[in-house]
Structures are given as structure tokens and as C-alpha cells.
């Protein structure tokens, strides 16, 4: 057998027969009989011992392998890595997810029963249980044996896990960093395992970092849209005309023009006001007619306002104003044809006997204004929703991921799996 960390190794597990050997006194002593682990020999190692790979700029060699579990359930693999200049590290594989573990030489600060702090970061409790050794192969720096158990507790934050293992002799702390599978494949050539689900306790959400970047990019894009809307907003009023309303309630027609529109494409806005409108309404139909080819762009609206008194007191409803827009009108000369009709109801809910608008001495007017504009306010809202949609989808995926991760905790909220 070849010792890869000669002078450091205390125990070595034979990769051929599974026996555990003691190397501390200059003579290799047989510690455990091969028969005790014979049943596990058919299991191939996902990372063969002696394999070398580079992680974090350091070349490591896999010299030991432990298979551990919680009482025979929830198994995971731990590979001991060695570099003569940097010492030992752990490469842990749990359900296909990888972590890089560094043994600590100091005890983290205890904040509360559920929280510890290390290097300014806070870790939250996640697991508590007993870990036992089920299989041993390779070299180790302590006297390891199949069946050895320790009491373990884990505290996590996204990307890192703080682990404490204790037995009747010592207490040890390890800081594990989550590793993307592709990084381990590139370093050691291990076989890909695919998606890990549910996530590992310290596995960071793949959407977490994107939320920050996406929010920044989306915020800049939204700021650009808002700035553009300010530049393109506003209406250039080009015509205004007051039209009388017939007192007998008949339909009337008026033409406003010519109207010159010089932008290649624009929104034509028609705003109507009936200043003395009370308890009635005005139906309005607009036809914007191109003088060149008689193409018609149509729209309609109504101005209506009511008032009265009931058991709750005086009330009003509706508006004397009406505002409509005609989208995507090309440049040219136009006439606006307005067809309108006034209607009025008496305060007692019955129509005037003549069906007319109101008394002749109080004839109202309809004031029609025409202008050209570029941008709809709804366009800005729609653009903002489109910009926010990818971020909102990522947020939902992130929350789903984080909930699945936290549900695996021994201290998960009540009602979780």
C-alpha cells in the first residue's frame, strides 16, 4: 500500500480488502479485520483515491474516503483531500451536491441558541443528529473506525454551512462551502449527478444573485422608459371650438378643421367639456377624416353628470369632461367631424315633455379641443410590467427554492415536510 501523506497519517483503510491499519509506531498494524466490512467492498468510489484536482488554486489529492449516515439512513460521502503545504480539507457529496470543508482552529461566536457568528456572518441552525461511520477507505489523521459516532449540529447561511461534531473526547468545527457540480467535475472528473432536489441545506438559490442584478438592470431600463415618457409626453393642442347643443334634443354635426399633423405617426387626442352639464349626458362620435384619401379614424365617448339628494345627503356622479385618443395617425391634413346629441333628465326622474335638453334660456355648449400627442400613459405602465415580469418570475422561483431548502431542516416551521 502507498501512503500519500506519510508522517501525517494515523489510520489507513485498505482499498483492496477494507481493513483499517495503524501507522503510528513505524510498523503497520492491522486494526480491523477485513470480514467486518466485506459487505461494502462492491461499492465503487465516485472519486477514486489518488485522484488529483485543483480547487481554489491549490492542487489536492484524495487520500481517504468515509461513508457516513444517520443510523444507516441519509447516507453521504466524505473524501479527505491532502496537500503537503496546505494540509487537509474535506470534499463532501450529499445527494449529488458537493461541498468543500475546512477544519476551523477557533470556536465561532454563539449569538443565541439558534445562531452562531463567524467572520461577521450569521449562521442559523438547520440540522441536529448523530453521524456514524459506515465505510472507511484510505488514509486519515485520526483513529477512525467503522461504527464510530459523533453528535453533530449544523448552522447554515446561503453558500456555507457551519458544522460542529462532538464525542466524549473532543469537539471539532468545520466550515463547508457549497461547490457547483461543474467545478468539481472540472477539478476531479467525477460523473455528473444532475439536479439536486430538494436543495442542500446551504445551497444558494440559483435565482438569488440574479434578483439583484436583474433588479438593477430592470431599474435602469425603467428609469430610461420614464425619462423617455417625460420627453414624449404632453399634448400639442392645435384646435378648439365651442358647439351649441340643440334644446330639442336632436342629433347635430359639426366639423373642425383643417388639422395639420406633422409627425410621422402620432396619437390624436380629443378632449370635450360641457361646462354647465347637470343631470344629463352628451353622446359624442368623432370621425377624423384624411383630406387626401378620405380615410376615417373613428372614436366615441360621452360626458355625463348627475346630482341629487337622498337619505345620505347630497350626491354627485360622473364628469362634465370626456377625453379619448385615436392611436397611430399618420402625418397629413385632417377634418374632425363631431356628431353629438344632448340628453337631460328632470330632478324627479321623468324626461322633459318635449324630450329636449333644457330650457331655451339656458342653452349649454360643448367645447371640443383637438391635439396631437405621442405616448399613452398605459404604454408606460405596460412597459414597466414587461420589465418587471422576468424579475417577478425569478422572485417566485427563488421563494420556491428557498422554501424547499428550509423544509429539509430539523427546525422547519410547523406544517412543512
Amino acid at each position: 500500500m502507498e501512503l500519500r501523506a506519510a508522517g501525517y497519517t494515523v489510520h489507513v483503510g485498505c482499498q483492496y480488502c477494507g481493513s483499517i491499519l495503524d501507522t503510528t509506531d513505524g510498523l503497520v498494524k492491522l486494526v480491523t479485520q477485513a470480514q467486518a466490512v466485506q459487505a461494502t467492498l462492491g461499492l465503487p468510489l465516485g472519486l477514486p483515491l489518488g485522484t488529483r484536482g485543483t480547487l481554489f488554486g491549490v492542487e489536492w489529492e484524495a487520500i481517504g474516503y468515509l461513508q457516513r449516515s444517520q443510523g444507516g439512513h441519509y447516507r453521504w460521502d466524505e473524501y479527505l483531500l491532502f496537500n503537503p503545504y496546505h494540509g487537509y480539507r474535506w470534499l463532501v457529496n450529499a445527494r449529488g451536491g458537493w461541498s468543500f470543508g475546512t477544519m476551523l482552529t477557533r470556536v465561532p461566536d454563539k449569538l443565541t441558541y439558534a445562531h452562531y457568528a463567524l467572520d461577521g456572518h450569521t449562521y442559523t441552525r438547520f440540522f441536529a443528529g448523530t453521524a456514524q461511520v459506515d465505510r472507511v477507505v484510505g488514509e486519515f489523521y485520526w483513529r477512525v473506525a467503522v461504527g464510530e459516532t459523533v453528535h453533530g449540529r449544523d448552522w447554515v447561511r446561503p453558500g456555507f454551512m457551519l458544522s460542529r461534531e462532538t464525542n466524549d473526547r473532543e469537539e471539532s468545527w468545520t466550515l463547508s462551502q457549497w461547490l457547483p457540480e461543474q467545478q468539481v467535475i472540472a477539478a476531479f472528473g467525477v460523473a455528473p449527478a444532475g439536479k439536486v432536489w430538494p436543495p442542500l441545506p446551504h445551497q444558494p438559490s440559483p435565482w438569488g444573485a440574479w434578483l439583484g442584478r436583474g433588479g438593477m438592470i430592470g431599474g435602469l431600463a425603467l428609469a430610461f422608459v420614464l425619462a423617455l415618457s417625460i420627453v414624449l409626453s404632453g399634448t400639442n393642442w392645435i384646435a378648439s371650438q365651442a358647439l351649441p347643443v340643440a334644446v330639442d334634443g336632436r342629433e347635430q354635426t359639426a366639423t373642425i378643421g383643417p388639422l395639420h399633423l406633422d409627425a410621422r405617426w402620432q396619437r390624436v387626442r380629443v378632449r370635450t367639456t360641457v361646462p354647465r352639464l347637470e343631470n344629463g349626458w352628451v353622446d359624442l362620435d368623432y370621425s377624423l377624416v384624411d383630406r387626401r384619401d378620405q380615410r376615417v379614424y373613428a372614436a366615441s365617448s360621452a360626458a355625463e353628470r348627475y346630482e341629487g339628494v337622498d337619505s345620505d345627503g347630497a350626491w354627485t356622479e360622473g364628469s362634465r369632461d370626456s377625453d379619448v385618443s385615436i392611436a397611430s395617425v399618420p402625418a397629413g391634413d385632417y377634418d374632425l367631424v363631431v356628431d353629438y346629441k344632448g340628453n337631460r333628465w328632470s330632478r324627479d326622474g321623468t324626461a322633459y315633455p318635449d324630450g329636449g335638453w333644457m330650457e331655451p334660456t339656458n342653452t349649454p355648449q360643448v367645447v371640443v379641443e383637438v391635439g396631437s400627442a405621442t405616448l399613452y400613459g398605459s404604454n408606460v405602465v405596460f412597459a414597466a410590467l414587461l420589465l418587471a415580469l422576468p424579475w417577478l418570475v425569478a422572485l417566485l422561483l427563488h421563494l420556491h427554492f428557498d422554501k424547499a431548502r428550509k423544509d429539509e431542516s430539523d427546525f422547519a416551521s410547523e406544517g412543512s415536510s
Side-chain angles (χ1 to χ4, degrees):
M1 294 183 58
E2 177 187 359
L3 290 182
R4 297 179 175 83
Y8 299 93
T9 298
V10 175
H11 271 200
V12 57
C14 179
Q15 67 265 38
Y16 305 109
C17 70
S19 298
I20 301 177
L21 309 174
D22 188 332
T23 66
T24 56
D25 65 352
L27 297 174
V28 177
K29 297 180 180 179
L30 187 66
V31 177
T32 305
Q33 297 296 326
Q35 290 85 349
V37 291
Q38 190 67 34
T40 67
L41 293 181
L43 298 176
L45 298 184
L47 177 59
L49 300 188
T51 304
R52 295 187 179 187
T54 301
L55 290 173
F56 306 106
V58 178
E59 184 181 61
W60 303 98
E61 182 177 4
I63 67 170
Y65 165 77
L66 295 178
Q67 184 183 78
R68 306 177 80 184
S69 67
Q70 291 189 7
H73 304 283
Y74 309 107
R75 288 187 171 87
W76 67 92
D77 300 324
E78 298 184 1
Y79 296 92
L80 183 61
L81 306 180
F82 179 73
N83 178 284
Y85 301 103
H86 296 272
Y88 295 98
R89 298 294 187 274
W90 288 103
L91 187 63
V92 182
N93 185 330
R95 295 187 287 107
W98 294 91
S99 302
F100 184 77
T102 302
M103 290 72 75
L104 299 180
T105 57
R106 65 189 189 281
V107 177
D109 298 321
K110 184 175 182 179
L111 302 179
T112 65
Y113 173 73
H115 298 90
Y116 271 82
L118 180 69
D119 297 332
H121 299 288
T122 300
Y123 296 78
T124 303
R125 66 181 181 179
F126 203 93
F127 279 146
T130 301
Q132 73 178 32
V133 177
D134 296 329
R135 187 184 180 198
V136 178
V137 177
E139 306 173 27
F140 297 91
Y141 55 86
W142 83 98
R143 299 182 184 277
V144 63
V146 173
E148 176 182 282
T149 60
V150 293
H151 297 288
R153 281 188 176 271
D154 299 306
W155 294 262
V156 304
R157 70 179 179 93
F160 296 88
M161 180 163 61
L162 196 59
S163 301
R164 183 186 68 191
E165 294 184 350
T166 58
N167 55 23
D168 56 355
R169 300 183 306 276
E170 63 179 358
E171 173 182 289
S172 63
W173 289 84
T174 303
L175 179 63
S176 298
Q177 179 177 350
W178 179 81
L179 293 178
E181 183 184 54
Q182 291 301 322
Q183 187 174 351
V184 183
I185 292 175
F188 293 99
V190 298
K195 182 179 180 180
V196 179
W197 194 262
L200 297 185
H202 56 309
Q203 184 173 346
S205 167
W207 308 99
W210 190 91
L211 285 174
R213 294 194 301 270
M216 182 180 65
I217 295 172
L220 292 175
L222 181 59
F224 173 77
V225 169
L226 293 176
L228 187 65
S229 68
I230 293 174
V231 173
L232 298 179
S233 64
T235 302
N236 178 30
W237 300 104
I238 55 179
S240 177
Q241 187 169 330
L243 310 175
V245 180
V247 297
D248 58 0
R250 71 179 185 273
E251 187 170 321
Q252 297 170 267
T253 300
T255 301
I256 302 173
L259 306 172
H260 179 70
L261 304 177
D262 53 6
R264 183 177 180 183
W265 298 96
Q266 56 256 295
R267 170 171 66 101
V268 175
R269 183 180 173 191
V270 182
R271 183 172 65 186
T272 302
T273 304
V274 187
R276 300 203 309 272
L277 179 62
E278 294 290 349
N279 288 316
W281 69 96
V282 179
D283 292 320
L284 299 150
D285 294 311
Y286 308 106
S287 298
L288 187 64
V289 182
D290 192 334
R291 288 192 166 193
R292 182 183 59 185
D293 56 10
Q294 301 304 301
R295 179 177 294 182
V296 177
Y297 301 86
S300 62
S301 68
E304 52 184 335
R305 189 178 189 277
Y306 308 96
E307 66 176 11
V309 178
D310 56 19
S311 59
D312 295 326
W315 57 269
T316 60
E317 181 180 341
S319 172
R320 298 185 178 97
D321 301 325
S322 169
D323 198 330
V324 297
S325 294
I326 303 172
S328 301
V329 179
D333 293 314
Y334 294 83
D335 290 316
L336 180 67
V337 180
V338 184
D339 297 311
Y340 62 103
K341 179 181 178 181
N343 302 274
R344 177 179 169 86
W345 292 86
S346 65
R347 293 182 182 275
D348 62 4
T350 60
Y352 279 101
D354 60 0
W357 173 263
M358 58 174 59
E359 296 300 326
T361 57
N362 196 24
T363 303
Q365 290 183 328
V366 176
V367 179
V368 180
E369 297 176 282
V370 186
S372 63
T374 303
L375 195 66
Y376 283 98
S378 58
N379 294 148
V380 179
V381 175
F382 187 65
L385 290 176
L386 287 178
L387 290 171
L389 184 60
W391 190 89
L392 292 174
V393 171
L395 177 62
L396 292 176
L397 293 172
H398 169 73
L399 294 176
H400 173 66
F401 180 96
D402 209 44
K403 182 180 184 302
R405 181 185 67 83
K406 291 179 179 178
D407 282 350
E408 294 298 298
S409 173
D410 292 336
F411 307 97
S413 58
E414 185 178 352
S416 69
S417 60

